[in-house]
């Protein structure tokens, strides 16, 4: 049996708690919305795999993360996409760093993906109407200034009972440059 998984970048517990509060504030104003109950994260990709396949995938993710180095992420603006997503955006430098991490992961990941994200953002809500987007901007009109160290990725499994992804594993960035095989001489 195949299960749905996603790879994500999880921010600090403080940012997760803050985004949860923001989602609750928005829900009081507009009611339920897509991703209301989802913990704060930056999606890298989604894929299907069996329980047997996931063991090999975890080994692969450990190897991929071996060479990645931690980066400081600065989130400093509210923004939205035309598809109705309202989110917290990284600053220009963080966006470059996150895109490099996401690109490396997506290029190195040898599993067929259902979805690949190449625009790092921390979603607050998805599929909002234009009116609800306007409400979101009004509600969160003050500036935002959040920081966290991106030093790992998380593997999440979709739980159909609660209709949410749940984190099942973390993979730390080891900042070890890939070793290259060099043949020495005998003489």
């Amino acid at each position: 049996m195949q299960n749905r998984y996603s790879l994500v970048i999880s921010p600090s517990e403080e940012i997760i708690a803050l985004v949860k509060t923001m989602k609750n504030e928005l829900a009081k104003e507009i009611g339920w919305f897509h991703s209301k109950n989802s913990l704060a994260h930056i999606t890298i990709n989604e894929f299907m795999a069996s329980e047997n396949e996931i063991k090999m995938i975890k080994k692969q993710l450990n190897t991929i993360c071996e060479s990645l180095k931690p980066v400081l992420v600065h989130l400093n603006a509210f923004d939205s996409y035309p598809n109705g997503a309202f989110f917290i955006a990284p600053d220009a430098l963080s966006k470059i760093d996150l895109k490099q991490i996401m690109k490396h992961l997506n290029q190195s990941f040898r599993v067929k993906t259902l979805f690949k994200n190449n625009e790092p953002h921390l979603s607050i809500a998805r599929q909002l109407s234009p009116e609800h987007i306007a409400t979101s901007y009004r509600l969160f009109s003050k500036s935002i200034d959040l920081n966290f160290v991106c030093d790992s990725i998380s593997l999440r499994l979709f739980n159909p009972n609660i209709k949410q992804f749940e984190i099942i594993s973390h993979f730390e960035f080891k900042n070890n440059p890939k070793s290259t095989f060099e043949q020495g001489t005998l003489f």
Side-chain angles (χ1 to χ4, degrees):
M1 182 176 108
Q2 298 259 303
N3 294 306
R4 188 176 188 112
Y5 294 89
S6 72
L7 289 178
V8 301
I9 295 168
S10 294
S12 66
E13 290 298 324
E14 295 79 18
I15 293 175
I16 289 171
L18 174 67
V19 171
K20 185 175 186 173
T21 300
M22 295 169 78
K23 289 180 180 213
N24 288 335
E25 286 177 39
L26 183 59
K28 284 180 189 170
E29 290 283 320
I30 68 171
W32 184 88
F33 53 86
H34 288 274
S35 80
K36 186 215 174 278
N37 297 317
S38 178
L39 294 181
H41 66 277
I42 298 171
T43 301
I44 299 167
N45 66 35
E46 290 185 16
F47 61 95
M48 300 293 286
S50 68
E51 286 186 32
N52 288 338
E53 292 169 321
I54 208 68
K55 292 174 187 169
M56 292 303 294
I57 289 169
K58 286 180 178 181
K59 287 180 185 176
Q60 183 187 143
L61 290 170
N62 270 321
T63 301
I64 292 169
C65 290
E66 186 76 21
S67 65
L68 290 172
K69 74 175 188 177
V71 296
L72 179 65
V73 175
H74 183 215
L75 303 160
N76 67 346
F78 292 106
D79 205 349
S80 62
Y81 290 130
N83 67 1
F86 182 75
F87 58 91
I88 305 170
D91 68 8
L93 182 58
S94 295
K95 187 173 185 176
I96 291 167
D97 288 341
L98 288 169
K99 278 186 163 200
Q100 286 177 341
I101 290 168
M102 293 163 74
K103 182 179 179 182
H104 175 74
L105 281 155
N106 282 321
Q107 286 179 343
S108 303
F109 195 57
R110 294 186 304 257
V111 176
K112 182 182 178 196
T113 55
L114 302 170
F115 167 77
K116 289 180 186 177
N117 182 27
N118 59 6
E119 284 299 319
H121 62 281
L122 195 67
S123 291
I124 295 173
R126 294 184 299 112
Q127 299 178 10
L128 296 180
S129 67
E131 296 78 23
H132 288 159
I133 290 284
T135 300
S136 300
Y137 277 113
R138 180 181 47 76
L139 192 60
F140 304 114
S141 60
K142 58 184 183 271
S143 64
I144 191 152
D145 187 22
L146 306 172
N147 295 287
F148 74 95
V149 176
C150 174
D151 59 0
S152 67
I153 60 167
S154 300
L155 175 64
R156 305 183 312 163
L157 170 64
F158 186 75
N159 181 334
N161 297 324
I162 60 171
K163 295 184 172 63
Q164 291 294 324
F165 282 99
E166 297 176 311
I167 294 174
I168 59 169
S169 295
H170 298 282
F171 303 90
E172 290 185 28
F173 298 170
K174 302 284 197 238
N175 195 20
N176 291 334
K178 291 191 175 169
S179 60
T180 57
F181 177 76
E182 292 182 30
Q183 185 173 357
T185 59
L186 291 175
F187 303 104

